[in-house]
Amino acid sequence: MRPAAAIESALDAFTAAPEAQVAAQRLLGLAEEVLENWIAARGETPTAGTSEGFRLLALHRQGARGVPSFNACRETCREIAYHYNLLCAEPDHALGARRQQMMAMLTKHLALFVSGKMQVEGLGEFCCASRPLRQESTQ
Amino acid sequence: MADTPSQDKRAQYKRVAYYPGCALEGTGHAYNRSTKAVGKALGLALDEVKNWNCCGAMEVKNVDPKIQTYLSSRVMSIAANEMRAEVVMAPCNGCYHNLKKAEHDLAHDEASRSVVDRLSQKAGHATYRAGQVETIHALDWIKHGLGEDELKRRVKNSLTGLKVANYYGCMYTRPRHIFPEKDQGPGSESTSKPHFMDDLLAAAGAENVDFPLKTACCGGAHTLSDSDISTKLVLNILRAAEAAGADVIATECPTCHSGLEMHQVRAEKVLGQKTTVRMLYFTQLLGIALGLSPRKVGVHENVSDSRGLLEAKGIV
């Protein structure tokens, strides 16, 4: 499992590959690594299980447990899974390169969202919560 | 095929209590202006909630979630008990979300009911009871109050040739349990793939592009704590819209809209990353399609100047 910054760099360097399935597998792996980072940071072991055929969705479910605001990236994960399916089902499609690019952007969005959440982890129960900061200042 | 709104809803949404919320008096002023202008053009009446207050935005719940429930309930109480309204329309995703959440809490949580009752008595107004009003978004208002077929009939200035990425943000559909009317099959909104804005703009002639980040986080909540993350999140949304072929990102939330506009500028200044896609509120696009001038719907108030694009497309 690479750290978030390394995953972000890998995504920035991503270019569409001739073999759509290889690219799809690589991007799905990066997305899973993003969620592994989040789960590990919370002191848990990332699940090896799957949900609806995707480990990514099982990891999201695990990562959102007790953190409702983490569901803000649920649809992003589902779109990543959808694009994976598109690329694997139609590897020679005329829009293949654009689909790879879009899957990379979705994965990048997941990486950015999760790294933001990790930076503010423990700072409240919602994205912009600041209760612990305030509590610290009044202690 | 376009959904046909029920006659009941059409009649019910013909005149609604309007809760603009704080953002629409500030950075989202163009949304306020265009919502009112479109309502007038479509014959959908808005009665602004008298002496309304802040819904609690994103901050109050961190102090005490029940205070937030009270603040939102007061708005609904005024609409129900003083204005005798059946429907409150909130165009801001944050306000809409908070009113829906208060409605849910008051229907399911005795402790919330008790706090709201106590504070309402102290403040000297009637306590809001769950179910007294229905809270809707501006998208519901036009979609069900008029419908695509009628909208199409009234279009004077088709948006043909304009490629639009519809961006809903994350609060319009989340969490799902506070929106019981969504995911109810044909005619209802979807929480995973919302489409009401797509439907309305398609009726106005626009070409909607496939945009997989339509409900992704815009980083609005990180804006103050971590501007760089917000800028990167927005930049990714802007680039994805451009990669999807969009000329314009249509928005329906003042916070998302401001975030997209401001971080587009910041991305260019700080990261040296320029994007050219423009942002317009869906009400601005509908207003233009209905024949209103760009000025009338506040296009000049946007940071992202789309007048040149609209002219180049032959729309204005």
Side-chain angles (χ1 to χ4, degrees):
Chain A
M1 180 176 68
R2 280 166 285 186
I7 298 170
E8 213 182 304
S9 300
L11 287 166
D12 286 338
F14 176 83
T15 50
E19 287 184 46
Q21 285 139 318
V22 174
Q25 193 60 55
R26 189 165 157 246
L27 289 168
L28 184 65
L30 287 167
E32 288 175 358
E33 279 189 77
V34 170
L35 296 187
E36 285 171 2
N37 268 286
W38 166 255
I39 292 162
R42 298 176 72 212
E44 294 178 34
T45 304
T47 181
T50 60
S51 174
E52 298 175 60
F54 284 89
R55 181 169 176 251
L56 179 72
L57 300 183
L59 287 167
H60 176 267
R61 188 172 287 185
Q62 183 184 10
R65 211 167 289 145
V67 192
S69 64
F70 201 72
N71 282 312
C73 69
R74 178 178 177 272
E75 300 314 325
T76 306
C77 291
R78 297 189 74 81
E79 286 287 350
I80 291 169
Y82 169 69
H83 278 73
Y84 174 87
N85 282 339
L86 276 181
L87 289 167
C88 291
E90 301 174 327
D92 301 319
H93 196 279
L95 292 175
R98 186 197 267 200
R99 286 172 176 175
Q100 285 186 44
Q101 188 188 8
M102 205 53 90
M103 187 174 174
M105 286 180 166
L106 285 159
T107 310
K108 174 91 182 280
H109 211 81
L110 181 66
L112 290 169
F113 176 80
V114 172
S115 69
K117 292 290 287 178
M118 283 176 73
Q119 284 173 32
V120 294
E121 166 66 355
L123 297 188
E125 70 274 11
F126 204 75
C127 319
C128 59
S130 57
R131 179 172 17 178
L133 279 180
R134 226 181 2 268
Q135 283 171 340
E136 270 175 33
S137 68
T138 54
Q139 276 167 3
Chain B
M1 196 177 74
D3 297 319
T4 307
S6 74
Q7 290 304 317
D8 283 353
K9 278 203 171 169
R10 196 172 273 199
Q12 209 184 6
Y13 292 1
K14 188 94 180 154
R15 175 164 225 113
V16 297
Y18 179 47
Y19 175 45
C22 313
L24 268 72
E25 292 204 333
T27 52
H29 187 258
Y31 193 20
N32 195 12
R33 181 194 280 260
S34 55
T35 300
K36 287 178 176 174
V38 165
K40 195 172 176 187
L42 295 176
L44 299 172
L46 293 170
D47 298 322
E48 189 160 329
V49 174
K50 294 167 190 163
N51 190 24
W52 54 262
N53 53 270
C54 169
C55 68
M58 297 297 107
E59 289 76 19
V60 175
K61 65 172 160 285
N62 298 320
V63 179
D64 186 339
K66 289 189 174 50
I67 302 283
Q68 177 148 36
T69 303
Y70 164 69
L71 288 170
S72 294
S73 82
R74 181 181 176 273
V75 174
M76 295 189 281
S77 172
I78 294 169
N81 300 312
E82 295 178 26
M83 298 169 70
R84 303 290 166 202
E86 293 179 355
V87 179
V88 177
M89 190 276 275
C92 165
N93 276 2
C95 298
Y96 170 64
H97 171 102
N98 281 340
L99 265 59
K100 296 295 272 189
K101 186 168 183 306
E103 180 74 33
H104 179 270
D105 288 350
L106 291 171
H108 297 94
D109 179 32
E110 180 52 41
S112 293
R113 283 195 288 270
S114 168
V115 170
V116 165
D117 192 35
R118 184 165 50 81
L119 292 176
S120 299
Q121 284 184 36
K122 204 170 174 182
H125 63 80
T127 302
Y128 176 75
R129 311 280 176 206
Q132 280 190 284
V133 292
E134 179 192 10
T135 296
I136 62 169
H137 191 273
L139 287 168
D140 301 305
W141 177 54
I142 300 174
K143 169 95 174 168
H144 293 310
L146 193 77
E148 296 103 285
D149 289 339
E150 184 60 22
L151 178 64
K152 204 178 282 183
R153 207 179 59 75
R154 297 193 192 195
V155 167
K156 294 178 181 161
N157 201 11
S158 174
L159 302 178
T160 305
L162 192 68
K163 293 185 177 176
V164 179
N166 292 283
Y167 181 63
Y168 295 79
C170 66
M171 299 194 80
Y172 171 68
T173 53
R174 199 177 58 78
R176 281 180 287 183
H177 67 269
I178 66 171
F179 304 108
E181 71 284 7
K182 291 181 174 150
D183 295 329
Q184 296 300 313
S188 72
E189 182 60 294
S190 163
T191 56
S192 55
K193 279 203 182 278
H195 55 86
F196 277 15
M197 187 157 50
D198 295 65
D199 298 344
L200 294 174
L201 292 176
E207 181 186 336
N208 294 316
V209 302
D210 193 9
F211 185 48
L213 285 169
K214 58 167 59 175
T215 62
C217 171
C218 69
H222 294 298
T223 296
L224 297 177
S225 61
D226 188 344
S227 290
D228 288 343
I229 285 283
S230 297
T231 303
K232 286 180 182 177
L233 281 165
V234 166
L235 180 60
N236 203 49
I237 289 169
L238 301 175
R239 279 181 169 166
E242 289 186 351
D247 304 307
V248 164
I249 297 179
T251 59
E252 43 84 302
C253 168
T255 310
C256 296
H257 184 98
S258 307
L260 294 181
E261 287 193 319
M262 290 189 279
H263 287 289
Q264 183 176 43
V265 174
R266 191 170 187 270
E268 188 174 352
K269 281 190 176 166
V270 178
L271 305 175
Q273 303 287 334
K274 186 175 169 64
T275 48
T276 56
V277 67
R278 298 291 175 220
M279 273 62 75
L280 283 159
Y281 289 106
F282 85 98
T283 42
Q284 292 180 308
L285 286 165
L286 287 184
I288 289 166
L290 292 167
L292 303 176
S293 71
R295 192 162 189 87
K296 187 87 180 164
V297 293
V299 172
H300 61 290
E301 294 180 15
N302 294 353
V303 173
S304 154
D305 190 352
S306 52
R307 285 172 287 187
L309 170 72
L310 296 170
E311 283 167 14
K313 292 278 176 186
I315 294 168
V316 297

